[in-house]
Amino acid sequence: MLAGLLAVFGTISARGFSWVLEWWAWGLLALFPWIMFRTSGNHWTAAGVSWVQWRGSWVDTYKLTRIQFSADGYSRVLRLKDAHGNEIHSFKISEIQRNPDLWDLVYNGILHSVASGHCDIDAKTRHILKIPYELGPRPTRSERIRGWRRRG
């Protein structure tokens, strides 16, 4: 859109298309969109049947060993680690849930990992992700009340 606006401005200010013969005009048309692309924080997310990639990191969603909920500024994020040692440190929940098909792939892998019993997940993360306590080993009483003030 910015390149289009620059082209319209060039056409109006030159009162014609004579600006297309100038090399610097083409440089501006290429430079501004490139700057906008680089500064917009182009984040990349992809998922397959048993994996998810967030930016440059990926994990095997069917072999997760740790799922931890955290807050990163104003964003709610997941920290994921798989059996191969791969980790995703700040997986933004809101961004992945915008695409329901992508979220279904990731969530099915998370459910499978929790149900396998080899995944460390606390009660708070279970609650946020709406994972039933019937899946996998039940958390101990202290895990269920972690973060809450104890009555005493």
Side-chain angles (χ1 to χ4, degrees):
M1 188 168 145
L2 183 60
L5 290 173
L6 283 172
V8 169
F9 176 76
T11 303
I12 292 171
S13 65
R15 297 180 190 205
F17 289 97
S18 63
W19 64 269
V20 297
L21 300 175
E22 302 293 335
W23 66 268
W24 55 267
W26 290 103
L28 286 177
L29 281 176
L31 180 66
F32 283 117
W34 181 78
I35 290 172
M36 294 300 292
F37 176 75
R38 297 297 297 169
T39 59
S40 66
N42 53 8
H43 301 302
W44 153 262
T45 306
V49 174
S50 64
W51 57 272
V52 65
Q53 179 179 353
W54 171 255
R55 299 180 184 167
S57 304
W58 69 277
V59 292
D60 184 343
T61 54
Y62 279 77
K63 295 186 181 188
L64 294 173
T65 57
R66 186 182 71 224
I67 305 169
Q68 183 181 10
F69 171 79
S70 182
D72 187 9
Y74 293 111
S75 301
R76 297 177 350 158
V77 298
L78 291 176
R79 301 186 192 288
L80 306 173
K81 183 175 182 179
D82 68 10
H84 309 290
N86 301 318
E87 292 185 61
I88 296 178
H89 295 285
S90 292
F91 192 55
K92 292 185 180 176
I93 297 172
S94 61
E95 289 191 21
I96 190 72
Q97 287 179 336
R98 284 185 201 152
N99 185 334
D101 294 332
L102 206 58
W103 175 241
D104 284 345
L105 289 170
V106 174
Y107 193 68
N108 285 337
I110 288 172
L111 289 176
H112 178 84
S113 293
V114 171
S116 75
H118 301 293
C119 183
D120 179 27
I121 183 171
D122 62 358
K124 180 179 180 181
T125 306
R126 278 184 183 262
H127 177 73
I128 296 292
L129 295 177
K130 297 181 173 104
I131 297 174
Y133 285 104
E134 292 78 31
L135 284 181
R138 290 187 57 83
T140 62
R141 175 142 175 82
S142 63
E143 286 179 333
R144 275 186 273 157
I145 61 174
R146 185 185 302 158
W148 294 89
R149 283 177 53 172
R150 295 180 191 212
R151 297 178 192 169

